[in-house]
Amino acid sequence: MRFAVSMMQGLVKGPASRRLSRSRRATLALLAALGAAGLAAPVHAQTLASLPVEAGARVQGDAKPIAAWVTFCQTYAAECALDRGEPARISLTPATWATIVSVNRRVNKAVEPMTDQDHLHVADRWDLAEDGIGDCEDFQLLKRHLLAEAGLPRRAMRMTVVIDEKGEGHAVLTLITDRGDLVLDNKTSAILPWHKTGYVFIKRESQDAVAWVSLGGVTSPVTTANR
């Protein structure tokens, strides 16, 4: 698959990419192996035909970004860049759906979940899980990077902050599609319409600027601390 080749070619940008540690080489090798295995793996258990056509979440004004996202964008500027010439929605085809399902599952399997506090001794840091370890936002940022490399419009893939079933801050990746807003999550490999996740949707990256917009949730977490 293209995403595995891209990872092996070092296409994750930023200062960390210039320090290719032994642990990151192991991670890239693991992703490449999973990619090769995925060529023969059944990735269509959740079918495109089973997805309903539904309305997306309603944007309700501006919102304050997560502080760790601001720092992430300073380090990985290309990951936060916004091209308004890109499509605002992903047109779901069988091929596009297969790529989304495959990347979602393989990243969920390849990255070891661990909170930033346990891993890095900081409350919240966003990155691309270069050492093979990450918490919720790192999973989703890596998925977006790989999906963008596969040709999906970054503008239609927005990092999103929610309150989860435990009442804690959590990050997911919203895919804005012609069938509604779909959610990629590291807690499950099922790809769900946003309103069927059970989460309270707080805010997400804007599609029109390097900024955030509100989705109506009242409580806004300071960090996304879930593994």
Side-chain angles (χ1 to χ4, degrees), residues 11-221:
L11 292 178
V12 176
K13 304 300 183 183
S17 67
R18 295 190 290 273
R19 301 191 299 272
L20 194 60
S21 66
R22 180 181 303 174
S23 61
R24 186 177 169 204
R25 287 193 185 95
T27 301
L28 300 188
L30 176 58
L31 281 168
L34 287 170
L39 291 173
V43 297
H44 298 283
Q46 188 181 4
T47 65
L48 176 59
S50 69
L51 292 177
V53 178
E54 303 188 22
R58 292 182 60 188
V59 171
Q60 301 186 26
D62 297 334
K64 184 178 180 180
I66 294 287
W69 173 85
V70 175
T71 303
F72 171 79
C73 291
Q74 293 170 348
T75 306
Y76 301 84
E79 296 297 322
C80 297
L82 185 84
D83 180 1
R84 294 190 66 179
E86 283 191 322
R89 285 180 171 77
I90 297 167
S91 296
L92 289 178
T93 66
T96 300
W97 177 247
T99 298
I100 292 168
V101 171
S102 178
V103 168
N104 187 52
R105 289 182 176 179
R106 280 181 272 166
V107 171
N108 281 355
K109 290 179 180 178
V111 177
E112 178 184 350
M114 186 180 297
T115 65
D116 289 329
Q117 191 63 57
D118 291 340
H119 179 207
L120 303 168
H121 308 295
V122 296
D124 200 23
R125 192 179 86 180
W126 290 32
D127 59 35
L128 295 170
E130 286 93 346
D131 62 356
I133 301 171
D135 63 359
C136 54
E137 70 275 352
D138 308 324
F139 280 81
Q140 316 322 329
L141 288 165
L142 179 56
K143 291 173 190 177
R144 180 168 71 178
H145 175 85
L146 299 176
L147 289 169
E149 286 296 325
L152 276 68
R154 188 183 303 275
R155 186 185 179 200
M157 300 184 286
R158 301 287 82 193
M159 290 295 295
T160 305
V161 172
V162 302
I163 301 297
D164 70 3
E165 73 284 354
K166 298 178 181 179
E168 298 176 349
H170 182 50
V172 298
L173 183 64
T174 298
L175 304 186
I176 301 168
T177 81
D178 56 3
R179 294 202 178 203
D181 293 353
L182 304 178
V183 170
L184 305 191
D185 196 350
N186 59 295
K187 293 185 178 186
T188 176
S189 287
I191 300 172
L192 300 175
W194 69 280
H195 60 87
K196 293 186 178 180
T197 61
Y199 298 152
V200 176
F201 280 69
I202 305 299
K203 55 190 176 183
R204 74 182 182 206
E205 291 174 301
S206 171
Q207 288 193 288
D208 298 313
V210 182
W212 284 65
V213 293
S214 172
L215 298 175
V218 176
T219 303
S220 182

